[in-house]
Amino acid sequence: LNVGPDGGYTTQLKAHNGKIFVGSYSGTVFKTSDNGYHWQACNSINNGSLSHVCRMLQSDNTYLYAALDYKGLFSSNDDGNTWQQVGSALDSMPEFWGIAIIADTLMVSGEGSNFHEVVYRSVKASGVWGSFQKVINGFTPGSNKATVTALNNRFYISVTQGVFEYNTATNSWQAPTIPIGTTPTYISSFSGNYELANSTSVYYSKDGNSWSE
């Protein structure tokens, strides 16, 4: 078994098209098609500059998305052989902490200016992502790392004030409707599993409907 890709610290792991991809602090994305026995560097997104960390990866089963700090969001439909930038509003984002996709809506969250939490929304039309619009109505941005998550065809975000659910009709964030009988303060997802937490407990779910403490 290979000890792993030679790119410094790894930051994110994502399965896509039967392969496993990892991001790294060097800004390079690596992939393996044999469960980690051999790793290959994808073609460079940022010419190998160490100043741009590849912090987040996401997949919609057609495109692989990679977010690089201070560089922007990029997509690939050929397993990392070529990359295209997705919009330009995110070019100067200091840190990315979440990418979530539901159908033709894309949410990207992280650390914005003055270290404040921020989330952007884009809607796809005719196969092309539209301009990114900031969506922070409903919560007061704090000095934390905003993490957006897709769960049961709904977007949720974890911020300093707690967990909020996106309301499509009002284009704003509201109190969540997650059925755990208490107000969560943090939500995350990994490989199809979901975790919620409040000040005293942690909850776990495989489907987003049934939760165990």
Side-chain angles (χ1 to χ4, degrees):
L1 182 67
N2 194 315
V3 295
D6 184 16
Y9 292 113
T10 56
T11 56
Q12 179 85 53
L13 182 149
K14 180 61 61 176
H16 174 77
N17 283 349
K19 300 177 179 66
I20 299 173
F21 294 79
V22 296
S24 72
Y25 262 65
S26 70
T28 302
V29 176
F30 296 85
K31 63 183 175 183
T32 176
S33 58
D34 56 9
N35 296 319
Y37 280 90
H38 301 90
W39 292 90
Q40 175 186 355
C42 297
N43 284 341
S44 178
I45 302 174
N46 65 326
N47 298 320
S49 173
L50 293 173
S51 62
H52 302 295
V53 178
C54 180
R55 196 174 300 277
M56 299 299 303
L57 294 173
Q58 186 57 274
S59 169
D60 63 5
N61 297 320
T62 300
Y63 286 88
L64 177 71
Y65 297 85
L68 279 69
D69 295 349
Y70 287 107
K71 190 70 174 179
L73 182 66
F74 298 81
S75 69
S76 173
N77 64 355
D78 56 10
D79 293 343
N81 291 320
T82 59
W83 297 90
Q84 298 79 39
Q85 190 166 15
V86 182
S88 58
L90 309 178
D91 290 2
S92 59
M93 196 157 171
E95 291 186 5
F96 290 84
W97 287 102
I99 305 172
I101 304 169
I102 299 177
D104 288 337
T105 301
L106 169 66
M107 291 278 194
V108 180
S109 66
E111 178 186 291
S113 60
N114 299 319
F115 305 103
H116 282 176
E117 299 154 331
V118 67
V119 58
Y120 290 89
R121 171 178 176 264
S122 176
V123 177
K124 184 181 290 186
S126 301
V128 179
W129 291 112
S131 60
F132 281 92
Q133 304 296 324
K134 189 182 296 185
V135 184
I136 57 173
N137 295 329
F139 70 90
T140 302
S143 299
N144 208 332
K145 299 174 175 63
T147 304
V148 68
T149 300
L151 172 61
N152 283 351
N153 289 318
R154 293 185 176 92
F155 290 108
Y156 295 88
I157 191 167
S158 292
V159 292
T160 302
Q161 287 185 314
V163 174
F164 293 84
E165 179 180 327
Y166 179 69
N167 186 319
T168 304
T170 62
N171 191 31
S172 63
W173 299 92
Q174 63 184 28
T177 57
I178 301 171
I180 62 172
T182 185
T183 301
T185 56
Y186 181 78
I187 185 170
S188 66
S189 64
F190 182 77
S191 298
N193 298 315
Y194 305 94
E195 297 82 33
L196 283 170
N198 58 21
S199 59
T200 60
S201 303
V202 176
Y203 299 82
Y204 169 83
S205 176
K206 291 186 176 181
D207 59 12
N209 295 312
S210 177
W211 294 85
S212 300
E213 187 173 353

